[in-house]
Every structure is written in structure tokens, then in C-alpha cells.
Amino acid sequence: VNRYFSNNTYFRTYVFKKFGLWNVCAFIILIMIIDGKKEAEVLREEIKKEIISIKNKTNKSPALTVILVGDFAPSQIYVKNKEKISKEVGINSNVIKYPKDVSEEEILKKIKELNNDKNVSGILVQLPLPDQISKEKVINLIDPLKDVDGFSPINVGNLASGYNAIVPCTPLGCLLLLKKVEKNLSGKHAVIIGRSNLNGKPLAQLLLKENCTVTITHSKTKNLKEECLKADILIAAVGVANLVKKDWVKSGSVIIDVGINKQGDKIVGDVNFEEVKDKVKAITPVPGGVGPMTIACLLKNTLECFKARLT
Ligand code: GUN
């Protein structure tokens, strides 16, 4: 549309006459690329201000401890980012690194120690873990009040029950972005592709709490495309590059793309952005959509854990 408007005076005059200038402008504005980078910046700024204000009153700051096991390259990059951005907002970040053959016993011992350390506000064990360490044991052991990932069964259960809970960072980021473009989610049909504990399941709980009608789909779902076509809100969190095509989405729907997939030297989402973007009301790009919000929500969770202990 933009290209036509700038290149074709005849087309512009025709379109404005037929549909009215304001309707055309509204149509253009309504195709919204959700700027996760900007929203994350705003959220980080709010967090930073609150941390400064608390520090001025109490002389205390939040502290996040991250446990990183092994040399899995993506984990190393994520953790480095988390550390850098934490420091920027005034969170004391401490990364404890272990070699990939560390014993489960040693990791569990460290978690107990961190649970009992009153100077530690939040604990994050970066996943995946090597085979000799049980993810289940690790997640179960982290104090639910320091569980900044929101993975512990207490937080998962509280979220599912609609009680106060620490909410996993990526789903929380998705909800905050959704609310920027859809003020009232009540009654909307949300379709989620993916049923992971990290994304799909907590997203479903969050959207139920907002009174959405929620469908969770996954690799065994029959007629996946038809299910997606019913969505007012489509959230793709499945890890398959460009899975969602133009003919999978309803006109005017909102698309949240959680996927981060490597394709050659490019990072692409689970949604074919170029195909889909002109058909929908709003869409998150990859990169620059959900990703930056995930880290900002980790900072938010760390601050909440810190505040809960400030008495
Ligand atoms: N690995 C990939 N994503 C995450 C996350 O959100 N939390 C943790 N702990 N590990 C991850």
C-alpha cells in the first residue's frame, strides 16, 4: 500500500475517493508491527527507576544468581545478555559456571545454599542441563519465592489456580505485548501452537485468566491450519521456522511469534512474517518482538521476588 501511495497518484486518488481518506489511514495504521524492543526498553526503564527508589530508602538492591552448566553456545549467549541487562537496571547479577560433567549433587547443594542466602533475591538455572542432572529435581528444589523463571510446581500451580504466582518470563512478555494492541482480551479466541512448560502451557493459563477461549495445539493436532484459522489471537511457540503461512491466519487477527530459529545466518520466527504481515491487525517481528520482552520480564520477576522479601 505504501509503495502504491508513493508511486501511483492515480491509484491514490482512486483509493481515497472510494474508501475515504480516514478509512485508508485507519487501515494503514491498523497493520501494526509490535515493537518489542521499544516496549522492553520502557519496561526496563520503569524497573530501573523503582530499583533506584528502593535503594534510596533501604540501601538494598535485588540480586540475581544464574547457574550455567556446560558450554552450550546459545545458553552462554543468553546468560551473558541476562547478566549485562540486569546490571544496567541495578540488579546485582552473579553467574556461577560449572563444567558439563559436574555432578547433580553439587548443583543441588549450591541451590540449597542459594535458597538460604538472604542476599539472593532470585535464582535461575539455565536450561538445558546435561543428562546426569535431573531438571525436575533442580526445578523442584529452587525456593518458589526465588524462582524468577516461574517453573517451580508451586508457581505453576498458583498460576493454574488463578492465584498470585511468578509467571514464566516469555509468556508474561507475550501477554504484555498483546495488551498493547488488544485492550480487552475477554471472549477472544486464542490459539497457541506448542504445549511446552516454558511457553504453551503457562500462556494458556494467562489467557484463560483474561477470559480468552483458549485452544492449545501441538505436533499431533489434526488440521492444524484449520485450528489456526479460527484464532483472533495466534501465538506460535513451536520452534519450526516459518511454519505459519498467510493462508493459516484470519484477517485482522493478532499474531505473537515466540519462535527463534536459525536459518542460514538469519534468525526467523515460527511465522512467515513477510507473507502474513499485510493480512493481520498486529504482529511481532523476529528478532525485535518477544525476545527483548523475555529478558525485561526476568528483571521484573527478580524485582518482584526482591520486594516480597523487603520487610
Ligand atoms: N533456556 C531457554 N529459555 C530459558 C528460560 O526461560 N529459563 C531458563 N532457566 N532456561 C532457559
Side-chain angles (χ1 to χ4, degrees), residues 52-60:
I52 291 172
S53 156
I54 296 174
K55 180 148 194 210
N56 286 343
K57 285 183 208 140
T58 65
N59 206 25
K60 289 181 182 164

Side-chain angles (χ1 to χ4, degrees), residues 78 82 124-128 149 151 170 198:
Y78 289 144
K82 286 172 186 172
L124 182 147
V125 178
Q126 186 66 26
L127 302 175
D149 266 326
F151 293 166
T170 302
L198 255 74

Side-chain angles (χ1 to χ4, degrees), residues 179-307:
K179 284 187 164 177
K180 293 285 167 194
V181 290
E182 205 67 81
K183 296 289 172 238
N184 187 6
L185 294 170
S186 182
K188 294 272 172 5
H189 188 169
V191 175
I192 300 166
I193 314 176
R195 56 174 156 179
S196 70
N197 290 343
L198 255 74
N199 296 315
K201 287 183 202 162
L203 262 167
Q205 299 298 353
L206 281 175
L207 293 169
L208 279 174
K209 224 173 156 183
E210 298 290 333
N211 298 316
C212 287
T213 302
V214 179
T215 303
I216 305 185
T217 66
H218 47 78
S219 56
K220 301 288 186 291
T221 297
K222 289 181 182 142
N223 306 323
L224 180 58
K225 174 179 154 184
E226 281 68 31
E227 292 300 331
C228 292
L229 273 167
K230 296 176 194 164
D232 301 313
I233 295 160
L234 179 64
I235 305 186
V238 72
V240 178
N242 296 325
L243 174 73
V244 176
K245 317 280 189 302
K246 189 171 189 166
D247 60 347
W248 287 40
V249 302
K250 186 157 84 175
S251 293
S253 55
V254 176
I255 314 289
I256 304 287
D257 191 349
V258 180
I260 300 177
N261 310 294
K262 237 182 141 195
Q263 202 173 57
D265 54 2
K266 263 178 70 183
I267 300 287
V268 300
D270 293 347
V271 178
N272 191 320
F273 181 83
E274 284 307 318
E275 270 190 21
V276 165
K277 73 176 194 309
D278 293 334
K279 192 175 176 186
V280 297
K281 174 175 160 185
I283 183 167
T284 57
V286 176
V290 173
M293 284 301 280
T294 296
I295 298 194
C297 289
L298 172 66
L299 309 178
K300 182 173 162 62
N301 284 350
T302 306
L303 175 57
E304 293 305 322
C305 289
F306 167 67
K307 278 162 48 181

